[in-house]
Amino acid sequence: GQGVDEPLSATGFRQADAAGLFLSNVKFTHVFSSDLLRAKQASAFLRQLNTAATILGKNKFCKDLEIKYDARLRERKYGVAEGRPLADLKAMAKAAGEQCPSFTPSGGETLDEVRERARDFFEFLCRLTVELEQKEQGMHGAASRSSGTSEEHFVFPWTNHCGEAELSSDNGGASKMLDANILVVSHGAYMRNWIGYFVSDLNCTLPTNLTKSQLSSVSPNTGVSHFIIKLENGNLLKPEITCVCLNQDSHL
């Protein structure tokens, strides 16, 4: 949850280190992180141990990229259940005649409220990308923009591990024409709701080998999910979303 803002454990740091090595050949243009301590390590002295910073520190392209912290990426708030064992949360849900994860403890966030945060942040990312594209076109013209991205900077390491990697010319050259390649560091329950928003509200295309249980499961720590977002003609109302892989953990 949000109320118990603990730092990463030694295991967490090792996992972040592994994720950084895993993503070392991907050139990110933007990085956003939850502002909770275990996601960002608030002290400047510990900044090099930050999950997002550790990932970037292993990346040969992105060592100096600024990390933007955003409260909209925080974990779901669990109210009176925070700081207590998961078994207690399940007992609360059972006593209320409900099941996890749809149960909302007193003082906690509903799933709809979490999804609204995710929707708001995603729409912010879409607006950011469109504004940057418009600014780039205004400065250099559309012709120069199309040749400004080097394909070798977008070496996605999980393509050999996924049943269907949507990184071919079938998606309109998205792998070669990325205008923004955004790393988001967040939390398990939050991301499960964000992915649910992609699937149920925005009709995200999923890999054919993805099962319902995988879709509804919480990502392992430092699990990587990759989505390609296309905004045809800058249309923010109808993003076309393709899931390349979900909760990838071969680096662990």
Side-chain angles (χ1 to χ4, degrees), residues 77-117:
K77 185 178 180 181
Y78 283 93
V80 297
E82 292 191 349
R84 300 169 65 174
L86 178 60
D88 287 4
L89 177 63
K90 292 181 177 179
M92 292 179 193
K94 184 176 180 180
E98 299 181 38
Q99 292 184 333
C100 291
S102 58
F103 171 68
T104 303
S106 176
E109 281 184 296
T110 67
L111 295 183
D112 285 344
E113 288 171 333
V114 178
R115 185 169 295 196
E116 178 62 22
R117 277 201 285 129

Side-chain angles (χ1 to χ4, degrees), residues 92-138:
M92 292 179 193
K94 184 176 180 180
E98 299 181 38
Q99 292 184 333
C100 291
S102 58
F103 171 68
T104 303
S106 176
E109 281 184 296
T110 67
L111 295 183
D112 285 344
E113 288 171 333
V114 178
R115 185 169 295 196
E116 178 62 22
R117 277 201 285 129
R119 182 195 64 78
D120 186 61
F121 184 76
F122 175 66
E123 291 181 353
F124 156 75
L125 291 184
C126 290
R127 290 194 301 272
L128 172 69
T129 303
V130 170
E131 289 169 3
L132 288 174
E133 181 179 3
Q134 291 172 342
K135 182 179 179 180
E136 182 76 7
Q137 287 180 339

Side-chain angles (χ1 to χ4, degrees), residues 15-25 54-56 58-59 251:
Q15 292 172 331
D17 190 68
L21 289 172
F22 184 61
L23 298 174
S24 62
N25 287 319
T54 301
I55 291 172
L56 295 184
K58 300 292 181 181
N59 192 300
H251 57 285

Side-chain angles (χ1 to χ4, degrees), residues 175-191:
S175 63
K176 300 179 182 179
M177 298 287 289
L178 289 172
D179 302 302
N181 196 31
I182 302 172
L183 172 67
V184 177
V185 180
S186 187
H187 307 270
Y190 176 89
M191 290 188 291

Side-chain angles (χ1 to χ4, degrees), residues 211-231:
T211 66
K212 287 186 177 181
S213 62
Q214 289 174 315
L215 183 61
S216 61
S217 65
V218 173
S219 172
N221 290 337
T222 70
V224 177
S225 296
H226 180 195
F227 295 88
I228 293 176
I229 316 296
K230 292 177 66 179
L231 300 170

Side-chain angles (χ1 to χ4, degrees), residues 22-64:
F22 184 61
L23 298 174
S24 62
N25 287 319
V26 182
K27 183 177 181 181
F28 295 106
T29 58
H30 303 78
V31 180
F32 293 91
S33 173
S34 161
D35 64 347
L36 293 181
L37 184 58
R38 59 190 180 275
K40 79 165 197 172
Q41 297 296 325
S43 167
F45 177 72
L46 292 176
R47 186 181 184 279
Q48 69 271 25
L49 300 179
N50 171 321
T51 303
T54 301
I55 291 172
L56 295 184
K58 300 292 181 181
N59 192 300
K60 59 188 176 185
F61 299 115
C62 309
K63 293 182 185 298
D64 298 323

